[in-house]
Amino acid sequence: MSNSPQDWPEPIVRVQSLSEGGLNIIPDRYIKPPTERPSPKRSVSSASSVDCADANIPIIDLQGLNGNQNTRAATLSQISEACHEWGFFQIVNHGVNSHLLDRAREVWHQFFHLPMEVKQQYANSPKTYEGYGSRLGIQKGAILDWSDYYYLHYLPLRLKDYNKWPAQPPPCREVVDEYGRELVKLCGRLLKVLSINLGLQEDFLQNSFGGQDIGADLRVNFYPKCPQPELTLGLSSHSDPGGMTLLLPDDQVTGLQVRKGSSWITVKPAPHAFIVNIGDQIQVLSNAIYKSVEHRVIVNSNKERVSLAFFYNPKSDIPIEPAKELVTANRPALYRAMTYDEYRLDIRLRGPRGKCTVESLKSPG
Ligand code: OGA
Ligand code: NI
């Protein structure tokens, strides 16, 4: 991309360094406006807060897809309902070995606990975002999120560069490779399910993404302990810009919240589950039958958190627009065509902004 910025507008501060420096108060740069702060915990005696506290995104057993006709139909319909109602669901019995999931979490946990000099060798720039980072967006003076991350390209192959993946801990590259291979397969299966549920040919979404020529990136999020978690967020509210995301959450610490109407629901992860969510590109392709849903991350004063977000995206230079089959006289095309390259420039320049990017694509009239 020719007009990508070369460098950050301000010196980068590692949130982990702030956290480990033993501050009692967080710098102003991380303090969110009052309306964006995590909602205070309400008293458990109020009925509505009990509802919210117990709510969770649906948990779906993918084994059902291999069952008899009835079981398969029931599983497809659970996924359909989750896509309509939540834009988010968890999957268990997804076929990815649970030992691999544990190893992936473990190597990244170890990476973030390497000495700072080692991690700094991978410091990223806004040009490609690959490497060790501490902010999204390049707006000078922006309010920042309480997290560091590591971002790498898994696909397409021409962008895959082991030199930009950590050499430490030693199994890291091998584990990421195997993890990526398994998740690409799983995403392919899920796109078929979504296509069938939309009434399209099972290959429709995969083909719209570019067939085998898709993009896949991993962002590992590290949320350090925070002395004032009520004033900030680990990740501001956003919808994922890409196609579909498979999130491997921390197995000990919750933090992800999903918007449901006017509430924020804290996801309670099932053991060895992935959290699946619809990204903006599927919202566009499905002509908003499926919506990418806003989510955010809250942090804790006494626990750090690690999550692995795997983004499965359309090939970056093909136009993405509503499926012709889903455009009717009663439901005209809601979005104009745009490549994913063009689309993500907005986020890369301005950082996460709720659903502003996908809204701005709306066709006039
Ligand atoms: C993301 C994301 C959630 C989490 O990386 O896009 O939403 O729990 N992460 O870290
Ligand atoms: Ni996200």
Side-chain angles (χ1 to χ4, degrees):
M1 271 173 280
S2 51
N3 50 348
S4 339
Q6 302 294 310
D7 218 342
W8 303 111
E10 294 142 335
I12 287 294
V13 176
R14 302 302 174 188
V15 176
Q16 188 175 10
S17 304
L18 288 175
S19 172
E20 290 172 0
L23 300 171
N24 292 324
I25 56 163
I26 62 175
D28 289 349
R29 303 256 355 223
Y30 298 90
I31 301 182
K32 303 289 175 188
T35 54
E36 291 174 24
R37 293 178 197 166
S39 357
K41 292 216 170 38
R42 277 165 290 172
S43 121
V44 279
S45 59
S46 117
S48 67
S49 71
V50 171
D51 287 344
C52 269
D54 286 347
N56 199 6
I57 60 172
I59 301 177
I60 297 171
D61 185 346
L62 272 204
Q63 189 64 45
L65 293 175
N66 307 326
N68 64 28
Q69 214 179 350
N70 288 345
T71 314
R72 183 173 157 84
T75 308
L76 288 173
S77 104
Q78 283 170 17
I79 296 174
S80 170
E81 190 177 328
C83 290
H84 281 283
E85 299 294 317
W86 291 87
F88 264 85
F89 52 99
Q90 308 190 44
I91 50 175
V92 294
N93 293 321
H94 41 61
V96 185
N97 186 299
S98 41
H99 181 59
L100 176 61
L101 305 190
D102 293 336
R103 281 173 74 210
R105 275 194 278 245
E106 181 56 28
V107 291
W108 285 105
H109 197 268
Q110 287 171 7
F111 172 82
F112 284 103
H113 287 285
L114 291 171
M116 194 49 84
E117 319 79 84
V118 178
K119 289 180 292 209
Q120 290 291 20
Q121 292 169 13
Y122 300 94
N124 74 347
S125 87
K127 196 166 153 50
T128 67
Y129 272 88
E130 284 168 289
Y132 181 46
S134 296
R135 67 184 288 167
L136 297 166
I138 50 151
Q139 256 173 4
K140 201 169 171 173
I143 297 178
L144 301 177
D145 289 341
W146 192 264
S147 54
D148 301 319
Y149 62 87
Y150 201 100
Y151 182 74
L152 59 84
H153 294 314
Y154 184 77
L155 282 175
L157 278 180
R158 75 186 154 78
L159 294 184
K160 181 175 179 183
D161 180 357
Y162 284 133
N163 294 318
K164 298 205 168 124
W165 299 17
Q168 281 199 66
C172 185
R173 290 176 180 165
E174 183 195 318
V175 170
V176 171
D177 240 339
E178 189 179 345
Y179 187 79
R181 207 158 42 234
E182 291 295 316
L183 268 69
V184 165
K185 275 195 275 179
L186 180 53
C187 287
R189 279 178 77 201
L190 289 167
L191 281 196
K192 282 190 182 168
V193 168
L194 266 51
S195 301
I196 294 167
N197 277 342
L198 285 164
L200 303 167
Q201 297 288 330
E202 67 168 27
D203 290 336
F204 181 87
L205 287 173
Q206 186 74 48
N207 289 341
S208 306
F209 275 37
Q212 293 316 305
D213 239 357
I214 48 102
D217 305 313
L218 177 67
R219 187 168 76 215
V220 185
N221 300 297
F222 182 74
Y223 304 99
K225 292 177 194 169
C226 177
Q228 294 180 297
E230 65 288 356
L231 298 182
T232 191
L233 290 170
L235 191 52
S236 296
S237 170
H238 66 283
S239 62
D240 290 350
M244 184 171 67
T245 306
L246 256 51
L247 184 88
L248 181 65
D250 197 287
D251 57 353
Q252 309 284 323
V253 184
T254 61
L256 173 63
Q257 296 190 320
V258 173
R259 184 191 279 285
K260 181 77 173 151
S262 56
S263 317
W264 288 100
I265 307 296
T266 301
V267 174
K268 278 70 111 189
H272 293 117
F274 284 109
I275 297 165
V276 182
N277 66 290
I278 305 287
D280 294 344
Q281 305 308 308
I282 291 186
Q283 174 167 334
V284 171
L285 284 162
S286 73
N287 205 19
I289 291 176
Y290 291 163
K291 297 201 179 60
S292 60
V293 166
E294 279 175 87
H295 51 289
R296 66 180 191 182
V297 175
I298 57 172
V299 290
N300 297 289
S301 57
N302 53 359
K303 287 179 228 142
E304 63 189 33
R305 178 171 180 269
V306 176
S307 70
L308 279 68
F310 191 80
F311 303 111
Y312 193 79
N313 299 327
K315 184 171 186 291
S316 67
D317 58 358
I318 49 179
I320 299 293
E321 63 186 337
K324 297 281 176 287
E325 294 84 341
L326 303 177
V327 174
T328 59
N330 290 335
R331 194 180 178 87
L334 289 170
Y335 309 99
R336 63 189 169 85
M338 196 190 262
T339 68
Y340 186 49
D341 264 343
E342 289 170 74
Y343 189 85
R344 66 182 159 191
L345 255 185
D346 183 70
I347 293 150
R348 294 197 165 181
L349 296 174
R350 304 210 266 181
R353 296 189 302 135
K355 293 207 56 170
C356 292
T357 312
V358 70
E359 294 303 327
S360 72
L361 258 191
K362 285 249 164 79
S363 310

